[in-house]
Amino acid sequence: MAKVTTRLNVAPVPPDEIFALNHAFGIDTHPQKVSLGVGVYRTDDGKPWPLPVVQKAEKELEAASDAFRHEYTAIEGDAPFLPMARDLMFGFEGKPSEEEAKARIATVQTVAGTGANHLGALFLAHHMKPRTVWLSNPSWANHMTIWELAGIPRKTYPYYHASTRAFDFDGMMSSLENDAEEGDVVLLHACAHNPTGLDPNKEQWIAIAELCERKKLFPFFDSAYQGFASGSVEEDAWAVRYFFTAKPDMEMCVAQSFSKNFGLYGDRVGAFHYVTNRASSSLRDVVVNNLCHLIRGEFSMGPRAGTAIVKKVLSDEALVKEWHADLKVMSSRIRSMREALYAELVRLQTPGTWEHIVQQNGMFSYTGLTLKQVYALKDQYHIYLLKSGRASISGLSKKNVAYVAQAIDDVVRNVN
């Protein structure tokens, strides 16, 4: 019998850490187990929270029973959804130059924020051919994978100062100033930096924009937490809107996700926006055309159900007001859990400084715990967080925060 061989040249790749950690948590039977790994919002009871405004929109959509609700959309996406997503991100608010500004933005629907990041990377790889993409160190792990698959060499700029547990603004600026070259892409987190929870302040954002313009770098914003981080969609979009309005001669793009701010994690709602400079706005439709070419070859068009919910909410003034209230509920609970964990660590007189927990912003905290301490938390206390020490604050609750703080206190004192 002839020997059967394969033409495949494959080797195992490391499993995704977050999903592997979530699986390990799922099969753990310990009664006090705590998940601080996956980045999803949870109530104080540790349960998912379908936003009340989303539930209301779903009921209204079900009652309407649109016969076309399962039909195909256009390749570029759901037509009414696209300007709503764009306006939410860029916030025109009836300014005199509104139409001129909108004419600069090419928008398409994507498969959530990950799909927007991937489509943007692929589009730039095909049509701009950057020599390098600069990612923050650290960054969301999937950024590295996305740009690797797009075939663009990756470099990193300093972002986190370990000894002070603070944003390394000077390191970032020095690295980009000295080493980045014209045409390089710079990946920027619009707010609630993942994984550190540390964002530039407004003065620092202004300096970053000046550097990008002067050195002719290409800003690529990842906006995953608009409204979720601070409770204000305007505040969380400040950096994107500043770059857009203050630097009209600079091109840029934005990957926009609705997973966190609408709680539509599994519905995969997102958008990608390519911003031309004001002299090249006539290229907008050509950009959309080329983005559609990539979309057609990958997934044909975006999912429909989730965008119907977003449209329903954003097109109704009363529902928008309810949505803003829901955003404040989520952001306020995250902040209260940061404060509770900090207060417990202070009460326990846990060695070290812990102010960074309340100074950080959004879903995640870079705790400063070492790899050995992270393993000890999992093995001894059944508390799950990433090897980097990144903790999802949403996994904390009034019921478990004292337990988590006591566990951290123990491993900090006894595990080196």
Side-chain angles (χ1 to χ4, degrees):
M1 183 176 179
K3 184 179 179 180
V4 178
T5 60
T6 178
R7 295 181 182 275
L8 291 175
N9 180 20
V10 293
V13 296
D16 183 274
E17 183 187 3
I18 295 173
F19 283 89
L21 194 70
N22 200 43
H23 174 74
F25 172 79
I27 62 176
D28 190 336
T29 59
H30 194 274
Q32 286 186 287
K33 67 179 182 178
V34 179
S35 174
L36 303 180
V38 67
V40 294
Y41 182 78
R42 290 290 182 259
T43 67
D44 202 58
D45 293 323
K47 295 179 181 179
W49 191 58
L51 273 61
V53 72
V54 167
Q55 292 181 302
K56 181 179 287 190
E58 286 177 318
K59 289 178 181 177
E60 292 183 13
L61 289 167
E62 184 179 1
S65 191
D66 179 9
F68 290 93
R69 64 190 181 278
H70 298 303
E71 292 289 299
Y72 291 130
T73 60
I75 297 173
E76 64 268 26
D78 188 303
F81 164 77
L82 299 176
M84 291 180 187
R86 177 200 64 199
D87 292 357
L88 180 69
M89 189 74 260
F90 294 92
F92 301 101
E93 300 167 348
K95 295 173 183 174
S97 58
E98 179 177 340
E99 292 308 314
E100 181 182 329
K102 289 179 178 178
R104 295 173 52 203
I105 306 171
T107 299
V108 293
Q109 184 183 334
T110 62
V111 184
T114 300
N117 274 276
H118 168 68
L119 180 66
L122 197 62
F123 177 77
L124 296 182
H126 276 75
H127 300 291
M128 201 174 79
K129 301 186 184 338
R131 284 169 293 194
T132 304
V133 59
W134 291 86
L135 307 175
S136 64
N137 181 22
S139 190
W140 180 45
N142 211 19
H143 281 148
M144 192 68 76
T145 301
I146 287 167
W147 287 93
E148 175 192 353
L149 294 174
I152 304 300
R154 285 88 54 211
K155 292 183 180 179
T156 61
Y157 56 84
Y159 194 87
Y160 178 72
H161 200 280
S163 61
T164 61
R165 299 179 183 178
F167 169 47
D168 187 3
F169 173 69
D170 291 339
M172 173 184 180
M173 296 295 284
S174 176
S175 180
L176 294 177
E177 181 69 60
N178 295 326
D179 300 323
E181 299 180 14
E182 180 178 338
D184 285 358
V185 174
V186 181
L187 199 293
L188 302 166
H189 299 230
C191 66
H193 182 272
N194 179 4
T196 67
L198 297 165
D199 294 329
N201 61 37
K202 290 178 181 177
E203 290 73 21
Q204 290 169 336
W205 274 125
I206 291 170
I208 294 167
E210 295 291 335
L211 185 148
C212 288
E213 182 179 48
R214 178 168 47 79
K215 289 186 64 69
K216 295 182 171 59
L217 307 179
F218 185 92
F220 190 128
F221 279 99
D222 186 358
S223 177
Y225 298 96
Q226 186 185 3
F228 182 97
S230 70
S232 165
V233 296
E234 289 77 21
E235 185 65 22
D236 292 343
W238 190 90
V240 171
R241 294 178 184 183
Y242 176 80
F243 273 62
F244 176 71
T245 57
K247 305 297 177 185
D249 296 321
M250 184 169 64
E251 293 183 303
M252 57 183 274
C253 65
V254 184
Q256 182 183 22
S257 171
F258 292 85
S259 295
K260 304 295 192 299
N261 57 13
F262 272 83
L264 296 173
Y265 301 96
D267 289 276
R268 316 311 292 145
V269 185
F272 175 74
H273 311 277
Y274 187 96
V275 179
T276 70
N277 61 53
R278 59 183 167 183
S280 305
S281 60
S282 60
L283 288 177
R284 181 188 66 177
D285 292 345
V286 179
V287 171
V288 170
N289 172 259
N290 279 270
L291 287 167
C292 285
H293 180 65
L294 296 174
I295 290 169
R296 181 61 170 154
E298 289 217 335
F299 57 92
S300 279
M301 62 206 62
R304 186 162 191 154
T307 56
I309 294 170
V310 174
K311 279 193 308 179
K312 184 70 177 174
V313 173
L314 295 183
S315 62
D316 185 309
E317 190 174 330
L319 292 180
V320 168
K321 188 176 292 187
E322 292 183 37
W323 177 53
H324 288 170
D326 290 346
L327 289 172
K328 286 181 169 58
V329 168
M330 292 189 289
S331 61
S332 296
R333 199 188 90 73
I334 296 291
R335 280 196 297 273
S336 70
M337 286 300 100
R338 287 185 180 278
E339 291 164 2
L341 178 60
Y342 172 69
E344 280 294 312
L345 292 171
V346 170
R347 184 184 67 81
L348 293 167
Q349 298 183 340
T350 305
T353 177
W354 301 97
E355 288 86 356
H356 59 283
I357 292 174
V358 289
Q359 293 168 350
Q360 294 163 352
N361 179 40
M363 178 81 79
F364 304 112
S365 172
Y366 228 46
T367 60
L369 296 171
T370 67
L371 180 61
K372 287 183 178 180
Q373 290 165 348
V374 168
Y375 282 147
L377 284 175
K378 181 170 72 72
D379 295 340
Q380 298 174 30
Y381 292 96
H382 303 265
I383 297 171
Y384 292 76
L385 60 161
L386 299 192
K387 289 184 282 189
S388 64
R390 189 208 81 172
S392 177
I393 298 297
S394 182
L396 295 174
S397 70
K398 294 175 184 175
K399 299 175 183 177
N400 68 27
V401 67
Y403 173 74
V404 171
Q406 184 64 64
I408 292 174
D409 182 78
D410 177 59
V411 301
V412 168
R413 293 179 188 276
N414 298 304
V415 178
N416 296 318

